Structure formats: C-alpha cells, structure tokens
Amino acid sequence: MRDVVADEAAAAMRAGTPERARRRTMPFPLAPRSKSASLIVAGGLVALIALIDWRVVDDVPLGFLYLLPMLMLGRMLKPWQTALVAAFLTYLTEEFDQFRWNLRTGLPRDVLYFVAFFSIGVFVYEMNRNRQIILRHLHEIEEQRDARLEAEEQLSVLIESSPAAIITANPDGTVLMANEAAHRMLGIKPPMLLGRSIHRYFPALSNISGRETSQRLFRTVMQSRGQRDDGEGFLAEICFSTYQTDSGSRLAAMILDSSEEFRTREEASLHQMLAGSRIAVGAVSHEIRNVCGAIAVVHRNLSRNHRLALDKDFEALGNLVLALERIAAVDLRPYPDQAMEVDLLAVLDDLRIVIAPSLEDKGIACSWELDPELPLVWADGTNLMQVFLNLTTNSIRTLAGKAAERQLTISARHEGQRVTVEVLDNGGGVAQPSELFHPFQTGAQNTGLGLYLARAFARSFGGDLRYRPLPGSACFVVELATVR
C-alpha cells in the first residue's frame, strides 16, 4: 500500500506542485474535502442504505454497501472511532438482513461484518496517513530543491561577477570551468579557455594538479608567474584547493593579477629609498661641511706660518679640504612632493597589524586612543608609516629590556588645523632630549639616522616630529596638517 501511494505521489510531483500532488493522490477525488461535510455525506449514505435495506429489499442483504461510507469515514476517524462505527454498521447489517440470529451462525457472521468494516476503515486511515507523510516529504524535497537552485543561481552569479579569476580543472590540468574574469585575465574570448590546459598559463600548478590527491588534499596560497594567451607574463596570487568528486580529484583556483600592486609597491619603495637617501646624504654633507669648515679655519691659521705656507704638502692639504667642501655643497634638490590626502585612521590600522606580533612577543600592553572622527591629512602614506614604525620600534626596543609593567599608548586627536599623534611608552624617558634628532648620534644601535629621517619625512609633507618629556616616560608627538 505504501509503495502504491508513494508511486502516485512521485508521479504527481513530476506533474507539478504539491497541491496538484494532493489532488492526484486523493483516494476519492469526488469526496468532500471538509471534515464536517464528509461526516454529513457519510451519515446520509448510511441512513439511505439502512432505509433501502429495511423497506425495499427483503431477499438480498445490502450490508456490504456500508463499505462505501466506511471508505469515506476512514480518512478522518481514528482507529478507535472506526471500531465504534464498524460496530454500529454491524448492528445495522444484522438488524435489517433476512437471516435469523443465533449464537452458532450469527456471532461468526457479525464478527466477519465487523472485521470487514473495521479493516476497510483502518486501511483507508493508514493510506491517508501515509499520503500525508509522503506529501510532507515531497514538500520538504521541493523546498530543498528550491533552496539548492537558489544557492546554485547565487553561486553562479557570484562566480561570473567576481573580479577574481575562478578556474576548476581535472587532474590533468584541463580547464572544466572558468568565469569571465579568467578569460579577461588571460586575454581569451569566452568560452575558449574550456578544455585547454591550465599549466600553459600557470606552470606552477602542474606540481599540484599532477599529483595523486586521493589521500591528501591541498589548500594554500602561493605567488606565481602567469602567462597570458599572447605570451605576456604577469605576477599572480593563486588561492587554490583540491577536492574529491565521484569522477576523481579536482583543482579549484582563485587567481588575482598582482602585477599592478607589485609595480606600485616597487615604485613606492623606490620613492622611499630616494627620499631617504637624499635626506641621509644631506645629513652627511652637513656634517662634512662642518668638519671641513673647522679644518679650513685651522688651515688658514697655520698658513700664517711662512715655512708651512711654502710647503707643497700643506698646500695640497688645503686643496683637498676645498674639494671636499665643494663635494659636500652639491645642490641636492628636494625630492618631488608626494603629499596627498591620506586617511590617518587607515594608516594607524595598518600600523596595528604590523606591530601586533612584536607587542605580543615582548609582552607589551598597547592602548589605542583614536578619535573616530579624524579628518584626512596631507602626507605621503608610505613615509608616514615609516615615521610611525620608527617611533613604535624604538619604544618596543626600550620596553623589551624593562622588567616592570610594559605599556605603550598610541593616541590621535584633532586640534584645529592639525592632527596630533602621540606615541607614549613608560620605558623611562630619554637622557639627552636635545640630541635626539641629530644625525650620527653616539650610542645609537644603527646609524643614528632613524629619528633624524623620521622628522625629515614628517616635515617633507608639512608636518613635524618633536619630543615631549614626561616623568618616567618618553612621548613623541607627530603633527600633521589637515586637508580642510
């Protein structure tokens, strides 16, 4: 019985909606759908059969006709209710037939009547209950199907609209699926990439897709060189993974063209190197000029001695000093101003990411007190990051050797036409603040140019860097001009 109903419901599902499935699986398509209406119709039918059996037919028993209302009532009655109705119909059948009742023949006959009525009622009840279960199951299947179709549609739209190239390939590297961005990146008209080897465009993937991945799956990111269809090379960031299907292993890759980012990064590094080199060379030239000035004074004083004035070596020494002065006085024109509108909060967020591992490794607590309404500032983003890195690195180095509580505080606030950023640590302060921004300081761990270059960078885009002494603490203040 369950198989019959399931087959009918499945056919109804293929035919259309769940409502249509209900109509196709109804035991009695013409039966009333309202429970009260069905009860009235079934009661009227029982009364009509009983009346005919009593008044019209004498020789032919009509008790079997009670099976018709029982079929209708079985859909809505519970088994115990069905048993009561079956007993009542058994009584009506026995009451209006022409057979005499006795214990030997009447009781078995009534038992058979009752079993027939009760069985047909329970049969219809179970069939109806199974039908409801199947319909609910079909409804769940349809909901899951609709959800799956919607998810597939959203995924398809996401893949096709993605700016990143998305490619899937089989173990041989043959491309099975590629979105429009992949064709655009490789310079191929869609869908010409399908069926081609991905190894031609990304040779590094041949080391992955060619392996047997049934036991081991790969999920990683790598930087590799790619090649467009016309042979032009580019730098690619590839996020790829392998997965298993019934047809074997597959490779899925999401690829970004990082050539422009690479060029921008290298140009920024070049700009930073040139700007820093000019500042460093300027500092060296300044020191050389100071030394040469002192040597020139001594040379002039010694030249008053007539014996030294006639000495060729002494004269050559003076010429060397003059030549060194001319070298130190070479005109170093300022590097083109690269100041632009910079989001200071974004720069500080990047700084947080960069210094977080060092802070955690050294056990330093860092507090960020940033005004969320900071305006844009004039600066060179790369050089401004170098200024903050220099200050925070010095603070981390100072705090690392401190046994007590280590605290670094970075705050930023808006003050009129300026934005002030303070880097404060409780590392004990600076012994000689007046010497902080001088180049080639004695006792510096490196060249002694760090703070000198940091202040030069800040001043190059209209800002400044200064030191504010505090008891037991060191506080460096970076001032930046706001855009408006």
Side-chain angles (χ1 to χ4, degrees):
M1 177 183 67
R2 181 186 296 268
D3 295 338
V4 173
V5 176
D7 292 342
E8 292 181 356
M13 182 179 177
R14 291 192 296 269
T17 62
E19 181 62 28
R20 187 177 299 176
R22 293 189 193 93
R23 292 197 298 267
R24 291 285 297 273
T25 55
M26 289 284 287
F28 302 100
L30 299 180
R33 297 185 182 182
S34 172
K35 183 176 180 180
S36 58
S38 297
L39 290 175
I40 293 174
V41 172
L45 190 57
V46 169
L48 178 62
I49 296 172
L51 179 61
I52 295 174
D53 193 17
W54 174 47
R55 300 296 294 269
V56 178
V57 180
D58 293 331
D59 298 329
V60 180
L62 300 181
F64 68 93
L65 294 178
Y66 291 118
L67 293 175
L68 295 177
M70 202 69 219
L71 288 172
M72 299 177 61
L73 295 172
R75 293 190 305 113
M76 60 196 72
L77 299 181
K78 296 179 180 179
W80 68 270
Q81 295 172 332
T82 301
L84 294 178
V85 174
F88 176 69
L89 296 180
T90 301
Y91 167 76
L92 292 179
T93 302
E94 183 66 36
E95 180 68 23
F96 298 121
D97 64 15
Q98 74 280 17
F99 304 111
R100 293 182 177 275
W101 193 93
N102 57 60
L103 187 61
R104 186 175 65 85
T105 60
L107 182 61
R109 186 170 61 249
D110 292 342
V111 169
L112 291 178
Y113 289 155
F114 176 81
V115 169
F117 296 143
F118 180 74
S119 297
I120 195 64
V122 171
F123 173 79
V124 174
Y125 171 80
E126 289 295 329
M127 187 174 66
N128 185 69
R129 189 168 67 91
N130 290 337
R131 180 180 64 86
Q132 296 296 332
I133 294 174
I134 291 174
L135 287 177
R136 285 196 297 269
H137 181 61
L138 291 176
H139 183 64
E140 292 176 359
I141 292 176
E142 286 195 339
E143 288 182 341
Q144 294 173 2
R145 181 198 62 188
D146 294 340
R148 184 169 59 252
L149 291 176
E150 183 179 359
E152 290 176 354
E153 182 180 358
Q154 293 178 354
L155 181 61
S156 177
V157 172
L158 176 64
I159 291 175
E160 287 302 323
S161 61
S162 171
I166 300 177
I167 298 175
T168 60
N170 62 14
D172 298 330
T174 302
V175 176
L176 303 176
M177 187 279 295
N179 64 351
E180 183 178 352
H183 289 84
R184 187 167 56 251
M185 174 185 292
L186 299 178
I188 308 174
K189 293 183 178 180
M192 299 301 294
L193 186 57
L194 303 182
R196 297 191 182 186
S197 175
I198 195 176
H199 303 156
R200 172 186 172 185
Y201 304 100
F202 303 99
L205 291 179
S206 61
N207 299 325
I208 304 299
S209 58
R211 296 184 181 182
E212 177 56 45
T213 60
S214 59
Q215 301 298 328
R216 183 181 179 186
L217 301 180
F218 296 91
R219 292 180 177 85
T220 187
V221 180
M222 71 176 182
Q223 189 176 72
S224 173
R225 294 193 177 276
Q227 180 177 321
R228 307 189 201 278
D229 195 55
D230 58 2
E232 178 189 357
F234 65 97
L235 196 62
E237 295 281 347
I238 305 177
C239 307
F240 68 90
S241 64
T242 57
Y243 60 96
Q244 292 294 330
T245 67
D246 294 338
S247 303
S249 62
R250 294 287 185 267
L251 172 71
M254 180 179 293
I255 308 166
L256 293 171
D257 186 347
S258 58
S259 301
E260 186 64 30
E261 180 184 355
F262 176 73
R263 285 192 291 268
T264 303
R265 184 171 64 248
E266 292 303 315
E267 289 174 357
S269 298
L270 176 62
H271 158 66
Q272 181 183 351
M273 183 192 70
L274 292 177
S277 298
R278 288 177 179 273
I279 294 174
V281 171
V284 173
S285 299
H286 176 74
E287 296 299 318
I288 291 176
R289 285 195 299 271
N290 290 340
V291 174
C292 289
I295 295 175
V297 171
V298 173
H299 183 270
R300 282 195 300 270
N301 292 337
L302 293 176
S303 63
R304 296 170 184 169
N305 189 327
H306 295 291
R307 288 181 298 176
L308 289 177
L310 299 176
D311 190 291
K312 297 297 183 181
D313 292 335
F314 183 74
E315 182 181 356
L317 179 61
N319 293 333
L320 288 176
V321 173
L322 292 176
L324 191 58
E325 282 184 332
R326 285 194 297 270
I327 294 175
V330 172
D331 181 22
L332 291 176
R333 296 180 180 178
Y335 197 73
D337 187 13
Q338 297 293 323
M340 61 183 67
E341 298 180 1
V342 173
D343 186 350
L344 182 58
L345 287 176
V347 175
L348 292 175
D349 285 341
D350 293 341
L351 176 67
R352 191 198 303 252
I353 295 172
V354 172
I355 67 175
S358 299
L359 294 172
E360 183 178 358
D361 183 57
K362 303 297 183 182
I364 300 173
C366 185
S367 175
W368 298 81
E369 301 173 359
L370 308 179
D371 183 355
E373 302 297 331
L374 288 178
L376 299 178
V377 298
W378 288 111
D380 180 298
T382 304
N383 288 340
L384 183 59
M385 173 64 78
Q386 292 301 315
V387 172
F388 292 142
L389 277 177
N390 184 278
L391 298 178
T392 54
T393 301
N394 289 342
S395 295
I396 291 172
R397 187 186 303 117
T398 301
L399 293 172
K402 184 180 178 182
E405 181 181 357
R406 304 166 183 175
Q407 179 67 41
L408 175 65
T409 302
I410 300 175
S411 60
R413 60 182 180 274
H414 183 203
E415 299 177 345
Q417 300 299 316
R418 314 281 285 183
V419 172
T420 301
V421 181
E422 293 185 356
V423 179
L424 172 67
D425 67 71
N426 62 344
V430 177
Q432 297 179 338
S434 59
E435 303 293 328
L436 270 177
F437 300 102
H438 291 178
F440 311 112
Q441 298 180 43
T442 58
Q445 293 190 3
N446 296 311
T447 61
L449 285 172
L451 289 174
Y452 177 82
L453 291 176
R455 185 167 68 173
F457 281 143
R459 290 179 174 177
S460 68
F461 39 75
D464 198 6
L465 171 62
R466 55 187 174 85
Y467 176 76
R468 181 159 62 93
L470 294 173
S473 302
C475 180
F476 287 89
V477 181
V478 180
E479 293 182 351
L480 301 169
T482 60
V483 174
R484 56 183 184 279

